[in-house]
Amino acid sequence: MKTTLDEMQAFIAVIDTGSITAAAEQLGQTTSGVSRALGRLEEKLGTTLLTRTTRRLQLTDEGETFLAQARAIVASVDAAEEQIAARRGTPSGRLRVDAAMPFMLHVIAPLVAGYRARYPQVALELNSSERYIDLLERRTDVAIRIGPLSDSTLHARPLGHSRLRVLASPAYLQQHGTPKSVVQLQAHTLLGFNEPDSLNHWPLQGDDGERLHVRPALAVSSGEILHRLALEGVGIVCLSDFLTEAARARGELVQVLPKQTLDTRQPIHAVYYRNTAVSARISSFLDYLAEAMVQPVVGAA
């Protein structure tokens, strides 16, 4: 008996999600159905692909070998479907997108309804990772990355840029005073990132003539958390326009030291693994996103 595409997809989903239960949720199937598919696959291949314990699943050597081939087969089927869809001129199929949570919430999520209305045959799957991910390992079609790129193995499409500003809530400034210089700023409660430390270089000139390096009194892992803390009046932050535009428009956050702030903009790219023509569904999503980002929300002066 030949193995089926459904069985291979079940096997890949179990590996990618880490459990049969999570794989079933991702595939829209029952846990028992995914478990049976794995059993049939191992029976047909005459080998054990996974060792199962109460706590984890572990690939066998045969499983490692088969996984690479299964991924290639599933990718080939996806590519064939894309070619047919492209001939029809209608993007379709599953599109897996990854972005940091702030960008996902403030930029991508508000665009989903409009994108789905225009391209109803594309099944979006949105995931959020604060750190850079391996696109192949996570089966991600496109990731949005903010800041300088270093991975030359990826294709990259520039989408725009987002200006950095130093911000605080009116309540914080009323209670602690508004700094009038960089020296005064450093006497305040400054909030920043625990990693990477490069995010704690603010768009202000330090004593050494370089961008001011801040040692935060409170360090967190996410820009979304910093945004919340700033709104609560905990301290002063440095964040991108795409995250803070709405709060600034409502007067919930105000810029600190605007005249001393250097015009510093973070580049925003879409990255993806494609050595040939970009698939119709990736192209449709990036075109839609780039069109929306032309608006002054991201690159405001």
Side-chain angles (χ1 to χ4, degrees):
M1 295 175 64
K2 301 291 186 180
T3 59
T4 68
L5 187 64
D6 287 343
E7 290 164 351
M8 284 186 275
Q9 288 173 325
F11 173 57
I12 292 170
V14 169
I15 299 304
D16 289 342
T17 61
S19 74
I20 292 175
T21 300
E25 292 177 358
Q26 182 186 90
L27 297 170
Q29 300 178 15
T30 64
T31 302
S32 59
V34 172
S35 182
R36 286 195 299 271
L38 281 179
R40 289 195 304 271
L41 183 59
E42 290 182 324
E43 184 179 351
K44 291 176 182 179
L45 294 173
T47 189
T48 300
L49 300 175
L50 290 166
T51 56
R52 304 166 177 81
T53 68
T54 56
R55 293 189 176 182
R56 61 179 300 187
L57 298 171
Q58 181 68 45
L59 278 171
T60 63
D61 290 343
E62 292 79 8
E64 289 275 8
T65 300
F66 186 75
L67 177 63
Q69 296 297 323
R71 287 196 191 280
I73 291 168
V74 171
S76 179
V77 172
D78 287 343
E81 291 177 347
E82 288 169 11
Q83 291 176 6
I84 298 301
R87 289 188 177 185
R88 297 197 310 264
T90 305
S92 64
R94 184 170 298 279
L95 178 63
R96 301 172 180 87
V97 180
D98 184 276
M101 182 60 75
F103 196 87
M104 187 67 73
L105 285 176
H106 296 273
V107 180
I108 294 178
L111 301 177
V112 168
Y115 176 79
R116 284 183 51 78
R118 186 180 297 184
Y119 302 107
Q121 296 184 49
V122 176
L124 276 177
E125 181 179 306
L126 304 179
N127 297 293
S128 180
S129 303
E130 294 302 326
R131 297 183 179 183
Y132 286 179
I133 63 168
D134 185 313
L135 272 65
L136 289 178
E137 181 180 327
R138 295 283 293 273
R139 296 188 68 208
T140 297
D141 297 302
V142 60
I144 308 301
R145 294 188 174 171
I146 301 167
L149 294 177
S150 58
D151 193 338
S152 61
T153 65
L154 300 172
H155 291 287
R157 172 173 169 176
L159 295 175
H161 56 257
S162 187
R163 187 175 180 181
L164 289 171
R165 300 177 197 261
V166 180
L167 304 160
S169 70
Y172 174 89
L173 297 176
Q174 183 177 2
Q175 181 177 356
H176 300 280
T178 300
K180 304 298 182 184
S181 67
V182 174
V183 172
Q184 290 184 12
L185 174 73
Q186 296 186 70
H188 282 259
T189 301
L190 307 183
L191 313 180
F193 293 88
N194 51 26
E195 61 176 347
D197 188 53
S198 60
L199 294 176
N200 294 320
H201 286 87
W202 288 17
L204 298 164
Q205 189 169 345
D207 294 336
D208 57 1
E210 302 294 327
R211 283 176 56 188
L212 179 68
H213 179 249
V214 168
R215 290 181 173 80
L218 192 161
V220 303
S221 61
S222 166
E224 194 61 43
I225 299 175
L226 284 181
H227 184 227
R228 186 72 255 170
L229 291 173
L231 290 172
E232 297 294 338
V234 176
I236 298 176
V237 298
C238 175
L239 292 170
S240 283
D241 277 358
F242 74 80
L243 199 161
T244 64
E245 191 274 338
R248 289 186 290 111
R250 293 191 296 263
E252 296 170 347
L253 292 176
V254 296
Q255 188 170 0
V256 175
L257 300 176
K259 293 183 179 180
Q260 292 96 322
T261 297
L262 306 173
D263 187 356
T264 306
R265 299 170 188 258
Q266 294 179 306
I268 301 173
H269 291 87
V271 296
Y272 45 90
Y273 279 110
R274 290 291 180 183
N275 295 322
T276 55
V278 179
S279 71
R281 62 177 180 265
I282 289 180
S283 181
S284 70
F285 181 79
L286 296 186
D287 288 346
Y288 194 88
L289 181 58
E291 180 183 335
M293 289 177 60
V294 170
Q295 304 303 319
V297 171
V298 174

